[in-house]
Amino acid sequence: MDIFEPKYGVFKTSDYNLNLEERRSKYEKYKFILCKTCSNDIYIEDCYCTSCYDKETDLVKKGHMKFGPKFEFFETLDYNLDLEERRKKYMNYNNILCK
Ligand SMILES: [Zn+2]
């Protein structure tokens, strides 16, 4: 292993714009990942800062941290749609959260 290769990566707020797969491939080479905002350790399995996540109160921002940009809230109104319509509406999203 190259001794000049840093063993830890710094996780930036802008990384939340990547989806989980993209984050993992970006950081898998590091032994440690640190949150730039609060210096908390980030686990490669999670790929988001649990400490910042807990402090965040905005549900949209929380979803963004956990899932990346491609998530949407499932509205109560969506229960009026049949299964096909729901799939069509949400097929472009990686994650759907119950509102
Ligand atoms: Zn943090």
Side-chain angles (χ1 to χ4, degrees):
M1 192 181 163
D2 190 338
I3 55 162
F4 297 113
E5 180 109 17
K7 288 189 182 64
Y8 66 92
V10 178
F11 195 92
K12 296 183 274 311
T13 323
S14 58
D15 289 322
Y16 288 125
N17 291 323
L18 306 171
N19 69 35
L20 280 192
E21 288 309 309
E22 292 167 329
R23 293 181 202 173
R24 283 193 187 118
S25 61
K26 181 173 178 182
Y27 286 102
E28 66 187 356
K29 63 179 179 210
Y30 297 113
K31 200 166 179 196
F32 306 102
I33 312 164
L34 297 177
C35 171
K36 192 173 185 181
T37 313
C38 72
S39 304
N40 183 48
D41 288 325
I42 292 175
Y43 299 107
I44 188 78
E45 298 83 36
D46 296 335
C47 264
Y48 67 96
C49 176
T50 48
S51 168
C52 287
Y53 180 84
D54 288 341
K55 273 180 238 154
E56 183 57 64
T57 49
D58 188 307
L59 272 183
V60 176
K61 285 185 188 158
K62 276 175 111 90
H64 186 209
M65 290 167 95
K66 203 165 180 176
F67 303 113
K70 288 187 106 183
F71 79 95
E72 186 53 280
F73 286 106
F74 194 88
E75 312 269 351
T76 322
L77 275 174
D78 291 326
Y79 288 117
N80 295 326
L81 304 171
D82 68 33
L83 215 48
E84 281 305 306
E85 291 170 322
R86 293 181 203 172
R87 284 194 188 123
K88 212 169 161 184
K89 181 172 176 184
Y90 289 105
M91 66 183 202
N92 290 323
Y93 298 101
N94 288 339
N95 298 87
I96 309 158
L97 302 180
C98 176
K99 200 162 192 175

